[in-house]
Amino acid sequence: TNSVLERNKLETLLTRIQDGVVVLDQEHRIVLINQVAESAFNLSGHLTGQFFQNVFTNPELIQLVEDAENNLFNRTELPIKDGRIFNVQTIAIPEVGLAVTMNDITYLKKMDEIKSDFVNAVAELEGLVQQTPPPQEPEPVVEPPPMVPEEAMYLVFFNWDSSDLSSGAKNVLDAIAQEVEKNPPEQI
């Protein structure tokens, strides 16, 4: 009865853990499996006593368990059919067998992907900024020299459209004539 009580405590503990846990004996038969592991691999029914490789069909997971005896690659990231990714580890338990733990790292992988996308977008923007030539300073505006009153008068009278050159020329001649009348040239 003491061993039954201990087993019940262990099963209660395994059901409350958020990671998937499978405990195997030394011949790789399932001793305990929690709901998270069953759900992740879409398993149901009485699994205790069945061989691991007969229940789990994922070749990568089976290889991880087989390699655990030789301490080869005791950890891997394992994508499963529903899109989640698990960090799977095997842990040797002396005189019992092996524990397989499965930690859902899907959110970490998605965060890593988002971070990579962000870094790439920033790098792309930096590349665009570096490729864009620096803005050139505008040419300085050269101010014309100030006009004398006579030049200003010609501008007022010389208001003509380039399509009508004859009227423009007439305006210029009229302006010159008016100026001559007002200020006759000095006679020599």
Side-chain angles (χ1 to χ4, degrees):
T1 59
N2 197 20
S3 65
V4 171
L5 183 61
E6 290 299 315
R7 183 176 173 89
N8 286 342
K9 285 182 185 178
L10 182 59
E11 286 179 356
T12 301
L13 176 67
L14 290 176
T15 58
R16 301 210 188 265
I17 293 176
Q18 292 182 352
D19 293 342
V21 179
V22 181
V23 179
L24 307 176
D25 67 12
Q26 293 173 342
E27 296 173 8
H28 294 172
R29 285 186 297 233
I30 297 172
V31 175
L32 292 169
I33 183 169
N34 72 353
Q35 181 61 37
V36 176
E38 288 180 4
S39 173
F41 291 91
N42 203 19
L43 303 172
S44 61
H46 184 72
L47 303 174
T48 305
Q50 295 187 43
F51 286 100
F52 183 84
Q53 63 271 20
N54 292 342
V55 173
F56 291 87
T57 58
N58 184 295
E60 220 177 323
L61 184 59
I62 293 170
Q63 189 64 50
L64 185 73
V65 168
E66 289 174 1
D67 289 345
E69 293 174 7
N70 303 323
N71 290 327
L72 298 175
F73 305 106
N74 63 349
R75 184 185 93 56
T76 190
E77 290 181 2
L78 184 69
I80 60 172
K81 290 179 183 177
D82 68 3
R84 290 184 290 170
I85 301 171
F86 283 88
N87 178 20
V88 181
Q89 289 184 289
T90 56
I91 304 157
I93 304 173
E95 299 180 23
V96 174
L98 188 66
V100 180
T101 62
M102 304 168 195
N103 181 6
D104 188 347
I105 59 169
T106 308
Y107 68 96
L108 293 174
K109 289 296 189 178
K110 286 184 181 178
M111 292 299 291
D112 191 45
E113 185 178 324
I114 290 168
K115 182 183 89 174
S116 292
D117 290 347
F118 178 76
V119 167
N120 290 337
V122 168
E124 195 173 302
L125 285 175
E126 285 178 350
L128 289 175
V129 169
Q130 291 173 357
Q131 291 174 2
T132 305
Q136 296 178 350
E137 291 188 30
E139 301 259 340
V141 177
V142 179
E143 293 288 326
M147 284 194 239
V148 293
E150 292 81 18
E151 292 173 323
M153 184 193 72
Y154 285 116
L155 285 177
V156 170
F157 289 109
F158 196 70
N159 185 12
W160 52 276
D161 188 327
S162 63
S163 63
D164 189 10
L165 289 177
S166 61
S167 69
K170 183 180 180 308
N171 288 342
V172 170
L173 292 173
D174 288 344
I176 292 171
Q178 287 177 358
E179 185 64 27
V180 170
E181 282 181 20
K182 289 181 185 173
N183 299 316
E186 293 181 21
Q187 297 195 355
I188 304 182

